């Protein structure tokens, strides 16, 4: 299958089956925003729950946080985002449309890693690079990606702030609060999941480049001398989680980012890239931020964001390892990883081979025929029992049984349970496995333990 075709299939399936919709669709859409429908919410929740369990709840050295999206404008001046969080922008001189200069040059086949603004201008001039509409381009300049907003009824400079472009700063400004409340010893970390906003010049590629998206971030505070081994440790932890949630690891690549391409705060960065149909692009990042952020906030806030060294009794500013994960890019990479097409007995089918832990619906329950009250009644009993135990269980009596299987395959439901006439005699139901399409009879009494075991191992 062609890569572009695969992308179209994923986008169409995501809309048709209620995973992901264009934001503000009935008003023609709002660029860079997508809304998650019932199955998308469930998938996202499974991803976030798995991340939170592994990286926060199951550890003794991690603390959770949920900081405000709106923060004092001082935060963004201290962190360097007000000045340094920029992308290269270039304008079509005829239409006035704006583009990411680096993306245009990349699309034209130029290597732009590490190129400065003036080098990009030079490439455009020397090679007569035009806009996608084939018009001349203006000068490349920097564009700050933070989305500005105003707070309160008074119109003055103090009312201007930004929607956070990363969740990380919420963690740094709460460092002292967590230390004062819990007296943690180094190394320890603070984890947070939440929305972030960037005024991307050209949002594109479905949910890959959004203006509103969600991040899962850890700031892990370490003794400066141990940063390198902690970095390696977190690299492995990240890879382990990617595998756990079912990403196709053949499509995940580690890339060492060169000094000139690193963010302003980073002393070492690895990007985990993924083979999307539109190219190999960033999925997650792992950065060594040194003491950059805490030091900047100490300087600007005049607060002691430090920890007392237990041996020397001196105040030290911890260094930071930052594993960062985009939720939306995880959703996209996972959909691409689990999308399957196959032929069975001359019939083609599409299914999503989610691990059970990620599947938005765990089990679908159906009566073989929906116009037979005794079958429906029995199936409702089975449905209620499974729903109480496993939560995300769906009632499905639409169309014939073949259609129901296809529909459940397409949303990645691992098991379908069907109540038929034999059930009324022997209290057994048919359980159909999504991946193999094999069916087996299981007694209703044993259903809960049957599925509990299945879900434990997958
Ligand atoms: N605190 C560090 C930080 O924000 P980043 O590489 O700019 O680093 C972290 O962003 C992650 O957030 C990325 O690896 C990606 O998964 C996700 N992300 C960044 N920009 C995004 C966008 N415009 N749309 C969707 N996800 C995005």
């Amino acid at each position: 299958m062609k890569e572009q075709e695969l992308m179209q299939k994923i986008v169409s399936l995501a809309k048709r089956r209620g995973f992901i919709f264009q934001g503000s669709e009935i008003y023609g859409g709002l660029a860079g925003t997508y809304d998650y429908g019932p199955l998308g919410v469930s998938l996202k929740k499974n991803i976030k729950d798995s991340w939170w369990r592994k990286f926060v709840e199951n550890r003794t050295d991690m603390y959770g946080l949920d900081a405000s999206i709106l923060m004092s404008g001082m935060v963004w001046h201290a962190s360097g985002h007000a000045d340094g969080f920029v992308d290269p922008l270039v304008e079509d001189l005829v239409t006035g449309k704006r583009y990411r200069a680096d993306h245009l040059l990349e699309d034209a086949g130029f290597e732009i890693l590490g190129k400065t603004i003036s080098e990009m201008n030079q490439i455009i001039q020397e090679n007569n690079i035009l806009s996608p509409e084939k018009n001349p381009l203006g000068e490349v300049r920097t564009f700050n990606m933070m989305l500005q907003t105003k707070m309160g009824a008074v119109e003055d400079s103090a009312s201007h702030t930004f929607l956070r472009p990363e969740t990380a700063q919420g963690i740094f400004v709460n460092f002292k609060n967590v230390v004062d409340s819990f007296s943690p010893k180094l190394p320890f970390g603070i984890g947070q999941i939440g929305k972030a906003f960037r005024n991307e010049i050209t949002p594109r590629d479905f949910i890959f480049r959004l203006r509103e998206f969600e991040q899962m971030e850890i700031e892990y505070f370490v003794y400066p001398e141990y940063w390198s081994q902690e970095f390696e440790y977190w690299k492995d932890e990240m890879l382990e989680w990617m595998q756990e949630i079912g990403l196709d690891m053949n499509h995940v690549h580690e890339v060492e980012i060169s000094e000139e391409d690193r963010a302003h705060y980073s002393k070492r960065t690895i990007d985990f890239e993924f083979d999307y149909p539109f190219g190999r692009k960033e999925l997650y990042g792992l950065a060594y931020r040194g003491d950059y952020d805490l030091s900047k906030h100490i300087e600007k806030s005049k607060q002691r964001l430090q920890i007392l060294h237990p041996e020397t009794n001196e105040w030290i500013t911890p260094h930071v390892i930052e594993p960062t994960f985009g939720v939306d890019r995880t959703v996209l990479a996972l959909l691409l990883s689990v999308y399957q097409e196959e032929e069975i007995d001359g019939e083609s089918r599409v299914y999503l081979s989610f691990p059970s832990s990620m599947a938005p619906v765990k089990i679908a329950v159906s009566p073989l025929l929906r116009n037979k009250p005794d079958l429906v009644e029995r199936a409702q009993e089975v449905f209620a029992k499974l729903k109480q135990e496993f939560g995300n269980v769906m009632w499905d009596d639409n169309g014939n049984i073949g259609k129901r299987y296809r529909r459940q395959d397409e949303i990645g439901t691992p098991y379908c349970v069907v109540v038929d006439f034999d059930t009324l005699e022997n209290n057994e139901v048919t359980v159909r496995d999504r991946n193999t399409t094999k069916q087996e009879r299981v007694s209703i009494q044993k259903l809960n333990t049957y599925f509990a075991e299945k879900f434990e191992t997958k």
Side-chain angles (χ1 to χ4, degrees):
M1 187 184 344
K2 289 211 188 75
E3 295 292 86
Q4 206 45 41
E5 205 182 312
L6 170 63
M7 197 62 201
Q8 276 162 11
K9 285 181 176 177
I10 297 277
V11 174
S12 142
L13 187 152
K15 176 168 165 55
R16 194 160 26 89
R17 293 294 182 215
F19 282 88
I20 303 164
F21 312 121
Q22 168 72 63
S24 310
E25 193 179 7
I26 61 167
Y27 291 102
L30 180 68
T33 66
Y34 279 88
D35 297 341
Y36 284 81
L39 296 188
V41 175
S42 179
L43 173 57
K44 258 210 314 185
K45 185 170 181 303
N46 292 340
I47 291 169
K48 291 190 280 184
D49 285 353
S50 157
W51 187 93
W52 192 258
R53 256 194 320 275
K54 179 175 175 68
F55 293 122
V56 181
E57 241 167 50
N58 287 358
R59 299 178 60 113
T60 53
D61 58 348
M62 285 292 300
Y63 299 84
L65 184 76
D66 185 8
S68 294
I69 287 172
L70 294 170
M71 303 175 80
S72 160
M74 295 288 289
V75 171
W76 307 110
H77 288 284
S79 69
H81 284 81
D83 296 323
F85 197 59
V86 291
D87 268 343
L89 176 143
V90 68
E91 216 170 283
D92 177 316
L93 289 177
V94 177
T95 63
K97 273 194 192 165
R98 294 165 160 200
Y99 297 97
R100 279 271 297 261
D102 51 342
H103 289 169
L104 285 190
L105 293 179
E106 251 176 355
D107 292 348
F110 291 90
E111 177 57 70
I112 45 83
L113 272 181
K115 293 275 183 291
T116 61
I117 295 287
S118 61
E119 284 166 337
M120 287 190 214
N121 272 319
Q122 201 180 343
I123 299 176
I124 289 176
Q125 276 161 20
E126 284 174 4
N127 298 280
N128 194 26
I129 305 286
L130 300 173
S131 74
E133 287 87 15
K134 306 283 171 251
N135 295 318
L137 292 165
E139 286 278 300
V140 180
R141 57 194 166 92
T142 54
F143 172 78
N144 194 298
M145 288 205 290
M146 285 201 294
L147 268 163
Q148 237 192 37
T149 189
K150 289 179 201 157
M151 283 181 81
V154 183
E155 271 281 341
D156 60 15
S157 60
S159 69
H160 285 251
T161 189
F162 303 95
L163 301 181
R164 66 181 178 201
E166 61 169 8
T167 59
Q169 295 305 323
I171 296 180
F172 294 122
V173 303
N174 280 288
F175 173 82
K176 187 174 185 310
N177 288 329
V178 173
V179 169
D180 289 350
S181 307
F182 297 94
S183 311
K185 309 269 174 294
L186 290 179
F188 75 93
I190 303 178
Q192 166 161 237
I193 300 179
K195 290 271 186 165
F197 302 81
R198 295 184 189 176
N199 201 1
E200 295 282 354
I201 299 167
T202 42
R204 61 180 186 178
D205 298 322
F206 192 34
I207 51 171
F208 176 79
R209 192 173 300 286
L210 296 166
R211 287 184 170 140
E212 175 177 343
F213 56 99
E214 212 166 355
Q215 291 183 320
M216 306 180 282
E217 297 202 295
I218 295 166
E219 305 304 323
Y220 197 73
F221 301 98
V222 302
Y223 286 113
E225 59 271 31
Y226 295 130
W227 80 265
S228 178
Q229 67 201 61
E230 296 286 2
F231 192 94
E232 293 304 318
Y233 166 81
W234 280 102
K235 192 173 78 180
D236 293 343
E237 287 290 289
M238 292 179 82
L239 285 165
E240 195 176 277
W241 183 73
M242 291 178 220
Q243 200 149 18
E244 267 170 40
I245 61 166
L247 291 187
D248 182 344
M249 298 308 283
N250 294 321
H251 288 184
V252 175
H253 309 274
E254 262 174 63
V255 182
E256 187 79 42
I257 304 298
S258 64
E259 192 178 343
E260 57 271 25
D261 286 315
R262 288 200 291 261
H264 59 279
Y265 48 72
S266 174
K267 292 185 170 171
R268 184 183 172 196
T269 298
I270 283 180
D271 274 356
F272 291 97
E273 296 190 338
F274 190 82
D275 295 317
Y276 302 96
F278 43 85
R280 187 177 286 185
K281 301 248 154 79
E282 181 183 341
L283 173 63
Y284 307 136
L286 174 64
Y288 170 43
R289 294 177 80 127
D291 63 354
Y292 176 88
D293 301 270
L294 288 181
S295 294
K296 289 285 178 194
H297 289 304
I298 290 170
E299 187 190 321
K300 297 284 184 210
S301 69
K302 313 278 180 255
Q303 302 281 320
R304 176 148 47 209
L305 312 184
Q306 289 181 310
I307 212 154
L308 205 54
H309 195 295
E311 281 158 22
T312 63
N313 231 20
E314 281 172 8
W315 289 99
I316 61 159
T317 310
H319 282 208
V320 171
I321 307 293
E322 180 195 62
T324 176
F325 306 69
V327 178
D328 312 84
R329 287 190 191 175
T330 310
V331 170
L332 180 55
L334 192 51
L335 286 174
L336 289 163
S337 298
V338 300
Y339 183 89
Q340 317 282 347
E341 282 180 4
E342 69 174 13
E343 288 249 327
I344 302 180
D345 302 330
E347 264 195 62
S348 62
R349 73 159 181 150
V350 168
Y351 70 104
L352 302 182
S353 61
F354 287 121
S356 302
S357 58
M358 291 295 122
V361 176
K362 310 286 178 217
I363 308 164
V365 180
S366 303
L368 181 66
L369 299 171
R370 69 171 174 184
N371 56 359
K372 297 285 174 203
D374 40 358
L375 285 188
V376 172
E377 195 183 324
R378 206 63 216 278
Q380 285 282 6
E381 283 168 24
V382 173
F383 171 66
K385 177 181 152 116
L386 290 172
K387 185 130 186 87
Q388 191 180 26
E389 186 71 16
F390 300 107
N392 275 335
V393 177
M394 187 189 263
W395 174 259
D396 189 357
D397 62 0
N398 263 331
N400 64 35
I401 202 72
K403 282 200 177 125
R404 289 179 212 160
Y405 286 157
R406 295 290 167 267
R407 195 166 45 239
Q408 295 300 330
D409 283 348
E410 258 203 324
I411 63 171
T413 307
Y415 301 101
C416 289
V417 169
V418 177
V419 169
D420 56 22
F421 293 106
D422 287 344
T423 311
L424 303 179
E425 306 295 317
N426 60 16
N427 274 330
E428 286 179 358
V429 292
T430 299
V431 177
R432 177 206 182 248
D433 182 296
R434 173 199 64 204
N435 290 2
T436 62
T437 73
K438 294 253 165 359
Q439 304 186 1
E440 62 178 326
R441 299 290 288 182
V442 180
S443 100
I444 292 175
Q445 235 192 351
K446 294 191 181 143
L447 265 187
N448 280 6
T449 33
Y450 173 88
F451 283 122
E453 279 169 17
K454 292 271 186 201
F455 295 152
E456 212 165 88
T457 52
K458 280 195 185 172

